[in-house]
Amino acid sequence: MSFIEGQFVYMMMMEGDASRLKIGYSNNPIRRSKELYSTGVPFPYHVLHAWSVRDMIAAEKIVHNALRDYRINPNREIFEVYEKFPDSIDYNLPDVINGLNIANELAYFINQLFDSLGVEYGRWYPNDLETYHRNMEAHQRNLRKGYLKSN
């Protein structure tokens, strides 16, 4: 997949709120995290996990349906999944560590969900997404300057 064709489902955590995870879709999760911070939320979002998929809207719906009991607001893509993974919580650890542990458990759950439904995906990690984001920004700059033709 070239960087121009990206379709991703992502998992983000807001800094300072480790108990809630945002699961959405975007063709550039790093850019999306920056957009979210500009909407007036108190802290930035950080991308923890991302999956490249053929149809990001359908893949996101699959995840949202599987987690519907953990959605805190039907109009938001925010989930509290601590109850889903109670054995992953160590109350002697800081919230952020527990939040990261839960996010990793949820990522594994999403992998299994996609596998069970035959959803083709590739795992992306934050450093790869940062490179992708920089490439996308350079591509957009080159389009604006007329160096490239849009498809």
Side-chain angles (χ1 to χ4, degrees), residues 45-83:
Y45 276 95
H46 299 284
V47 180
L48 302 177
H49 299 279
W51 298 261
S52 59
V53 293
R54 291 187 190 275
D55 183 343
M56 62 188 173
I57 296 170
E60 181 208 45
K61 272 187 189 172
I62 288 168
V63 176
H64 285 190
N65 285 337
L67 298 174
R68 68 182 163 274
D69 293 342
Y70 305 97
R71 197 173 195 153
I72 62 172
N73 179 327
N75 299 316
R76 299 286 180 262
E77 301 171 329
I78 309 292
F79 300 85
E80 286 183 345
V81 294
Y82 273 38
E83 292 175 13

Side-chain angles (χ1 to χ4, degrees), residues 72-128:
I72 62 172
N73 179 327
N75 299 316
R76 299 286 180 262
E77 301 171 329
I78 309 292
F79 300 85
E80 286 183 345
V81 294
Y82 273 38
E83 292 175 13
K84 184 165 183 56
F85 306 106
D87 294 340
S88 297
I89 299 171
D90 181 344
Y91 293 100
N92 296 313
L93 295 175
D95 282 347
V96 69
I97 301 300
N98 279 314
L100 292 172
N101 288 339
I102 295 295
N104 288 334
E105 290 286 339
L106 182 56
Y108 181 71
F109 170 82
I110 292 170
N111 289 348
Q112 290 181 313
L113 179 65
F114 285 167
D115 287 342
S116 72
L117 297 173
V119 174
E120 292 183 39
Y121 66 93
R123 285 299 307 272
W124 284 61
Y125 297 93
N127 58 331
D128 298 321

Side-chain angles (χ1 to χ4, degrees), residues 14-69:
M14 183 188 297
E15 192 174 300
D17 192 358
S19 68
R20 295 179 176 159
L21 298 168
K22 176 171 177 34
I23 299 171
Y25 68 83
S26 175
N27 67 352
N28 186 335
I30 299 297
R31 185 197 70 231
R32 182 68 182 130
S33 70
K34 293 175 186 205
E35 290 170 352
L36 289 167
Y37 188 49
S38 72
T39 64
V41 296
F43 301 104
Y45 276 95
H46 299 284
V47 180
L48 302 177
H49 299 279
W51 298 261
S52 59
V53 293
R54 291 187 190 275
D55 183 343
M56 62 188 173
I57 296 170
E60 181 208 45
K61 272 187 189 172
I62 288 168
V63 176
H64 285 190
N65 285 337
L67 298 174
R68 68 182 163 274
D69 293 342

